[in-house]
Amino acid sequence: MSTHLAPNMIIGACEWVALPELGIPRLRARVDTGAKSCSLHASDILPFERDGKSWVRFRVHLGYPEPVRDQDCECLLAGVRTVRSTSGESEQRYTIRTPIIIGHSRWSVDITLSNRERMRYRMLLGRTAMENHALVYPARTFLQGQPRLD
């Protein structure tokens, strides 16, 4: 008998997401079942200590192709991960854990911070974040509509 939960929603190849604890009410994310982890475009990434714990400060650039707004963020550091890009190169990335909202659903995900300025989508939603939460219908986009922050 499987102990996995059944996913509670169907998402498209792209979805609107919210990262409320980072002050991001809406962001387009590319759904990528080939990527293990989530990635968020960030710059000015600076680790620091607060009350004996490791934190990271960074800036998120919202909008494409040109940023229309910048959001300064701080988050408890979940760790540093080695991530292999699609070109096969490995790099160390700071990782945070924060709630995500897609449609009416909210759960916590790990997100690596990286430079995605050349990418059309400022966030990549990897398969680990979707596990037990969503099934992907790749022929459609934005099936869940805007995130519900209430």
Side-chain angles (χ1 to χ4, degrees):
M1 177 175 261
S2 176
T3 59
H4 293 286
L5 301 172
N8 63 357
M9 76 173 107
I10 297 175
I11 60 175
C14 305
E15 286 294 340
W16 289 105
V17 303
L19 302 171
E21 290 188 7
L22 300 181
I24 300 172
R26 190 178 71 204
L27 174 68
R28 290 183 327 151
R30 177 75 171 147
V31 175
D32 186 352
T33 59
K36 183 176 180 182
S37 58
C38 294
S39 179
L40 178 65
H41 175 54
S43 66
D44 305 321
I45 301 169
L46 181 67
F48 67 98
E49 255 192 51
R50 178 183 288 156
D51 299 326
K53 295 184 180 179
S54 297
W55 285 69
V56 64
R57 181 177 292 124
F58 54 96
R59 177 168 288 156
V60 176
H61 309 277
L62 303 168
Y64 177 85
E66 296 298 321
V68 294
R69 182 171 76 90
D70 290 341
Q71 176 69 37
D72 292 324
C73 304
E74 290 184 350
C75 193
L76 193 61
L77 186 63
V80 178
R81 286 194 187 150
T82 302
V83 177
R84 190 175 58 227
S85 69
T86 54
S87 63
E89 293 183 29
S90 293
E91 70 174 323
Q92 297 285 102
R93 293 186 189 169
Y94 291 105
T95 304
I96 60 171
R97 183 163 186 80
T98 191
I100 189 171
I101 299 172
I102 301 175
H104 288 286
S105 298
R106 176 185 176 123
W107 68 95
S108 291
V109 296
D110 288 345
I111 301 172
T112 64
L113 305 177
S114 65
N115 183 344
R116 296 182 52 81
E117 68 184 342
R118 289 189 167 139
M119 304 298 180
R120 186 173 185 174
Y121 294 89
R122 301 297 186 189
M123 184 168 175
L124 189 72
L125 189 65
R127 68 180 176 269
T128 303
M130 294 179 273
E131 187 176 5
N132 299 326
H133 296 282
L135 292 174
V136 182
Y137 183 21
R140 299 285 305 273
T141 57
F142 305 108
L143 293 173
Q144 294 297 313
Q146 300 288 328
R148 279 42 148 232
L149 299 174
D150 38 22

